[in-house]
Amino acid sequence: MGIQLGIVGYGGMGGFHHRNASKIEGVQVVGAYDIDPVRVQVAEESGLRGFSSLEDLLACEDINTVLVAVPNDCHMEICIAASNAGKHVICEKPAALNVDELDQMIAAAGRNGKLFTVHQNRRWDKDFRIVKDILDSGELGKVYSIQSRLHGSGGVMFGWRGEKKHGGGMLYDWGVHFIDQLMWMLGYDNFRSVFCKTSNVKTTEVEDYFFLVFDLEDGSHVQVEIGTFVLKELPRWLLLGDEATAYVNDFSRSGGIIRLDSTVETKSEIIMTSAGPTRTFAPRPDNVKLESELPDVEADWSEYYKNVRDAIDGKAELIVQPWQVRKVLKTIEAAFRSAETGELVSLKN
Ligand code: NAD
């Protein structure tokens, strides 16, 4: 059977799905609907059947799966309509603006016996898979801090992403990816509490900067920071262990793992800074540090479509499960609450 896909919302991401899903065996992209007729025309010019209403697309018997790629505030209504029309649903992230909305979407899919999943494609990011590999290997020793960060200097949130009513802001836009990565990797029940700060640096309605810290049950902590106006960019990842430090510069394999050379004897020296001495922060000589390459890890994001195809055919469990999406959304709600109240918010209820 596979996926016979109808795309709702043929903007940036709708077109991206068309181009990429078409390459996968067992996936056929049938048609698209967009509220903007110009975008329907673009879909037609790209070889798709254009639909002039959502109802027409949902009534099409050649479509068994609907991919929803519209602004965040429109996800719920379209996903529920698609489930009620007997279609499987792939929803773009963030699936919904709160857990109540998401519960209605999951319930609609359940009532109709159809699959519901969310496009959390960044579980297949190369940098993330490298970090997961390093942590799984245990080679850093006891890891006491994981820092997931994205700095950009654009200083702008484009179009509807800058508007509150459309579900804009960095927590929904990128935070949902990074929190999903961390919770999937470290275990959903491992997350104890969150403390979050947000800023509107260049935006008026929604946060274009946030910093949050999770306390984990295992005693470690995780930081996530996303800033759109940072003119000195820090590495995408920093992993601090009691035996080694790993860093990943960007979305690629650029970075390294640094440990001390146990064969070289080190003497602790006192150095002078402008206003006083320090021994603790005297830099170690370069010959004491050994830096190795990051592991070369396969990361193939097309696995996402293949998994949904196989789940529809009853041959695999979904990788992105609704309950996981719900945990992440609940965590984002808690982060917003922390930012509003200035308090640590428990993730344990
Ligand atoms: P976009 O503005 O480029 O495109 C959205 C399209 O939806 C537009 O063509 C618009 O006309 C159409 N639209 C708006 N309301 C509609 C409605 N009610 N019915 C039908 N069409 C409607 O936005 P985008 O960048 O493509 O983002 C779409 C979704 O994809 C968002 O949820 C976004 O968060 C998500 N996204 C995900 C990723 C990812 O990596 N997973 C990347 C970018 C965007």
Side-chain angles (χ1 to χ4, degrees):
M1 189 192 221
I3 302 179
Q4 288 93 47
L5 199 64
I7 298 176
V8 178
Y10 199 75
M13 211 51 198
F16 180 83
H17 279 292
H18 174 199
R19 288 189 297 280
N20 289 289
S22 310
K23 296 179 195 153
I24 309 294
E25 196 187 328
V27 180
Q28 187 203 350
V29 185
V30 176
Y33 161 67
D34 195 294
I35 204 165
D36 178 354
V38 173
R39 296 305 304 170
V40 177
Q41 201 182 330
V42 172
E44 285 173 342
E45 286 161 4
S46 312
L48 293 183
R49 205 182 306 175
F51 292 93
S52 53
S53 73
L54 177 64
E55 291 69 30
D56 284 354
L57 183 143
L58 295 181
C60 176
E61 289 186 357
D62 297 336
I63 290 173
N64 72 348
T65 305
V66 172
L67 188 146
V68 179
V70 297
N72 302 338
D73 58 314
C74 307
H75 290 179
M76 177 176 74
E77 200 182 324
I78 295 170
C79 287
I80 291 176
S83 296
N84 287 340
K87 312 294 186 191
H88 302 296
V89 171
I90 303 172
C91 183
E92 260 307 341
K93 50 52 54 175
L97 301 187
N98 55 58
V99 172
D100 282 349
E101 283 189 3
L102 181 67
D103 284 346
Q104 296 179 52
M105 294 154 78
I106 295 172
R111 255 194 333 270
N112 291 287
K114 296 293 161 187
L115 177 149
F116 173 80
T117 186
V118 177
H119 186 231
Q120 293 296 164
N121 47 324
R122 294 199 175 274
R123 287 192 194 177
W124 285 269
D125 268 349
K126 193 167 189 72
D127 58 289
F128 168 63
R129 291 296 176 125
I130 288 170
V131 164
K132 187 166 175 345
D133 186 84
I134 294 170
L135 293 175
D136 288 347
S137 76
E139 64 185 296
L140 304 183
K142 186 170 165 39
V143 175
Y144 57 91
S145 175
I146 296 173
Q147 300 177 25
S148 169
R149 183 177 285 114
L150 189 59
H151 284 164
S153 57
V156 67
M157 294 209 60
F158 291 98
W160 58 264
R161 284 175 173 76
E163 295 176 34
K164 203 173 174 61
K165 69 171 191 271
H166 292 304
M170 264 300 140
L171 265 160
Y172 286 138
D173 199 27
W174 277 85
V176 71
H177 280 305
F178 290 1
I179 295 170
D180 178 75
Q181 288 181 339
L182 291 163
M183 294 188 92
W184 186 59
M185 173 169 68
L186 300 170
Y188 296 85
D189 291 337
N190 199 0
F191 285 68
R192 192 164 31 192
S193 63
V194 62
F195 181 75
C196 180
K197 288 281 176 199
T198 59
S199 294
N200 296 29
V201 182
K202 301 282 184 186
T203 48
T204 46
E205 289 190 24
V206 294
E207 77 289 345
D208 55 359
Y209 172 90
F210 75 83
F211 171 82
L212 60 80
V213 185
F214 292 115
D215 272 324
L216 300 193
E217 293 292 347
D218 63 15
S220 64
H221 75 272
V222 177
Q223 298 177 26
V224 185
E225 183 190 48
I226 299 187
T228 54
F229 189 68
V230 181
L231 302 179
K232 170 70 184 159
E233 296 169 18
L234 295 178
R236 167 77 184 85
W237 294 91
L238 195 60
L239 312 176
L240 307 181
D242 64 2
E243 288 176 23
T245 296
Y247 67 101
V248 185
N249 286 322
D250 48 35
F251 292 107
S252 75
R253 198 180 154 220
S254 154
I257 301 176
I258 306 170
R259 57 183 66 253
L260 297 179
D261 185 346
S262 55
T263 63
V264 179
E265 206 179 312
T266 52
K267 290 197 306 268
S268 62
E269 288 179 27
I270 296 177
I271 59 148
M272 294 305 294
T273 67
S274 59
T278 174
R279 191 194 304 252
T280 307
F281 293 101
R284 286 184 186 269
D286 279 348
N287 69 335
V288 174
K289 291 183 193 167
L290 290 177
E291 178 157 351
S292 54
E293 286 190 337
L294 294 172
D296 196 4
V297 175
E298 279 300 309
D300 181 1
W301 153 76
S302 68
E303 289 299 323
Y304 177 77
Y305 295 123
K306 291 180 189 160
N307 171 254
V308 176
R309 175 199 65 196
D310 292 348
I312 287 174
D313 289 345
K315 294 183 190 154
E317 285 281 302
L318 271 180
I319 294 176
V320 182
Q321 296 269 348
W323 70 265
Q324 299 169 340
V325 174
R326 190 176 193 279
K327 285 267 189 189
V328 171
L329 209 51
K330 215 163 173 225
T331 302
I332 291 179
E333 281 187 355
F336 275 126
R337 210 156 51 245
S338 170
E340 271 162 34
T341 61
E343 287 175 6
L344 194 79
V345 175
S346 170
L347 299 172
K348 285 297 166 185
N349 42 41

